[in-house]
Amino acid sequence: MTFLPKPKLHHPNLPTNALGYTRRDYEGAVSTLCAGCGHDSISAAIVHACFQMSLPPHRIAKLSGIGCSSKTPTYFLGASHGFNSVHGRMPSVLTGANLANKDLIYLGVSGDGDSASIGLGQFAHSIRRGVNMVYIVENNGVYGLTKGQFSATADRGAKSKRGVANTDEAIDMVSMAIQLGATYVGRSFSGDKAQLVPLIEGAIAHGGAAFIDCVSPCVAFNNHPGSTKSFDYVREHNEAVNALDFMSDRAEITVDYAPGTVELVKQHDGTLLQLRKLATDYDVHDRIAAQTYLSQRHAQGEIVTGLLYVDPKPQDLHASLQTVDTPLNELDDAALCPGSAALERLNASLR
Ligand SMILES: Cc1ncc(C[n+]2csc(CCOP(=O)(O)OP(=O)(O)O)c2C)c(N)n1
Ligand code: SF4
Ligand SMILES: [Mg+2]
């Protein structure tokens, strides 16, 4: 069975947000993933972030491909729009939906197989076009759903459960996202909710292509000694560049400000990201330096996490295409078919 509805009953004193919803109102069906799967922790972080931001569930669209990771939208935001697409094709489906209705918040959920193997081209083009979305890769280094083959993010030399070493070079999705022009790039770990929740909140508030690579151990096929995506390995090699807090523009701002160690990043919608620098030489606005830093630390065997790059004034695909303010799906017949004189003028302007 892949769908178990959750009982609606909950404790009457559960905290509510500005919309009067409890955290439970942002949950989905009961998860059927393996107990302890990192993906379930990411679902919980998404629920937490949307509850805290008081997002109306009907204003969110969640899209995914195929894989254990791509199944997870069933387990969160049960009252939101959802579309479970084809393996590796989530980015183009999301792009199409976003072009039709730019008023929704788009959450693309994918796996390392879904996005770094079969869907690599789709991933790359949605990022370079600046689609306004939160693109989360639940990265376990294997194809969990099809029983644990190495994916394209598995590190060279990492061992499979049967002890066979991976001989191929790994694709680092955050380096690719930065190079491809993503305007908000972070990496986190499913076991680090304190880091992941504000990272997701900042990505939702961001007005461009936001990408989060979240290392998410597969307890069934990739959580053994020799794996570089296991809980133990990630905990030992996690190197956070900053600690992030997200503040909505409506909340009172009380910042424990220590000059030189805290940076406030104001995003286009007025929300604030408060970054406490852990690596004092790290500049979150320098795209090229971020790539160099990631490569240097990777060579030392470290997994760099945190908010890695942000452009607080992103340009999204709608701005590039100069689409009209009204979402395309709300335009009436007169606007969509303005008549032969308008067509004549358009043709003349192109001659
Ligand atoms: C076109 C196509 N090719 C192959 C498959 C088989 N398949 C299903 S899920 C999957 C890999 C999933 O890996 P990932 O995206 O990393 O998700 P995970 O299960 O690890 O979370 C594959 C190869 C498929 N469903 N469709
Ligand atoms: S097979 Fe791996 S990725 Fe899939 S649900 Fe189980 S632990 Fe999670
Ligand atoms: Mg995977």
Side-chain angles (χ1 to χ4, degrees):
M1 183 181 279
T2 55
F3 184 86
L4 293 169
K6 265 190 196 163
K8 289 262 180 245
L9 280 176
H10 59 71
H11 194 280
N13 294 338
L14 266 190
T16 53
N17 62 16
L19 297 177
Y21 291 136
T22 69
R23 184 181 48 74
R24 297 290 315 275
D25 294 313
Y26 292 85
E27 292 178 348
V30 175
S31 171
T32 57
L33 301 186
C34 306
C37 175
H39 299 350
D40 279 334
S41 307
I42 303 174
S43 296
I46 292 171
V47 166
H48 200 96
C50 294
F51 165 72
Q52 285 200 156
M53 292 178 82
S54 298
L55 299 179
H58 69 284
R59 302 306 302 160
I60 306 171
K62 39 180 189 156
L63 297 102
S64 61
I66 298 290
C68 299
S69 36
S70 292
K71 283 170 69 179
T72 62
T74 306
Y75 314 134
F76 58 79
L77 298 173
S80 298
H81 306 279
F83 193 83
N84 188 203
S85 72
V86 180
H87 198 25
R89 271 56 168 189
M90 175 277 285
S92 54
V93 178
L94 188 153
T95 303
N98 182 301
L99 281 174
N101 185 357
K102 63 182 182 184
D103 271 359
L104 299 182
I105 294 163
Y106 289 93
L107 204 51
V109 178
S110 184
D112 42 308
D114 202 56
S115 280
S117 297
I118 191 169
L120 189 61
Q122 297 244 335
F123 155 77
H125 292 292
S126 66
I127 296 285
R128 63 181 272 276
R129 288 180 180 135
V131 180
N132 184 0
M133 62 182 170
V134 180
Y135 191 134
I136 300 179
V137 167
E138 305 188 347
N139 188 352
N140 52 20
V142 289
Y143 302 162
L145 190 72
T146 53
K147 304 225 174 289
Q149 303 87 343
F150 284 126
S151 79
T153 66
D155 289 306
R156 188 194 283 271
K159 296 240 173 69
S160 72
K161 200 171 173 183
R162 290 168 58 209
V164 181
N166 177 34
T167 52
D168 297 339
E169 195 50 57
I171 290 176
D172 179 16
M173 299 210 71
V174 293
S175 299
M176 278 196 80
I178 292 172
Q179 189 275 320
L180 288 163
T183 43
Y184 183 106
V185 181
R187 178 155 49 208
S188 194
F189 171 45
S190 62
D192 188 351
K193 201 173 172 190
Q195 183 189 57
L196 182 56
V197 171
L199 203 54
I200 294 172
E201 291 175 331
I204 291 172
H206 188 71
F211 177 76
I212 299 173
D213 176 34
C214 190
V215 184
S216 175
C218 168
V219 290
F221 300 109
N222 205 12
N223 196 35
H224 44 267
S227 160
T228 58
K229 299 272 193 291
S230 66
F231 280 107
D232 286 349
Y233 187 92
V234 181
R235 283 199 187 103
E236 276 162 29
H237 297 80
N238 190 343
E239 168 76 15
V241 289
N242 43 41
L244 179 67
D245 282 318
F246 174 81
M247 287 165 282
S248 94
D249 53 342
R250 285 166 292 278
E252 187 193 351
I253 297 161
T254 51
V255 181
D256 182 16
Y257 198 98
T261 60
V262 174
E263 186 187 347
L264 292 176
V265 180
K266 189 167 190 172
Q267 300 217 82
H268 75 292
D269 65 342
T271 55
L272 283 174
L273 303 173
Q274 183 197 340
L275 294 174
R276 259 172 298 122
K277 282 195 172 197
L278 300 180
T280 45
D281 56 338
Y282 194 81
D283 181 357
V284 80
H285 303 295
D286 188 334
R287 185 188 294 270
I288 294 167
Q291 281 174 312
T292 308
Y293 189 90
L294 284 166
S295 307
Q296 285 169 343
R297 294 295 165 164
H298 179 71
Q300 303 296 319
E302 288 170 4
I303 303 168
V304 177
T305 61
L307 179 59
L308 305 173
Y309 175 72
V310 65
D311 175 352
K313 293 195 176 73
Q315 168 162 313
D316 87 320
L317 182 60
H318 283 279
S320 305
L321 296 178
Q322 299 180 318
T323 59
V324 289
D325 287 340
T326 311
L328 301 188
N329 66 336
E330 289 175 23
L331 293 177
D332 58 16
D333 284 353
L336 289 170
C337 190
S340 50
L343 181 62
E344 197 47 52
R345 277 198 303 280
L346 177 68
N347 284 339
S349 74
L350 297 171
R351 279 188 195 113

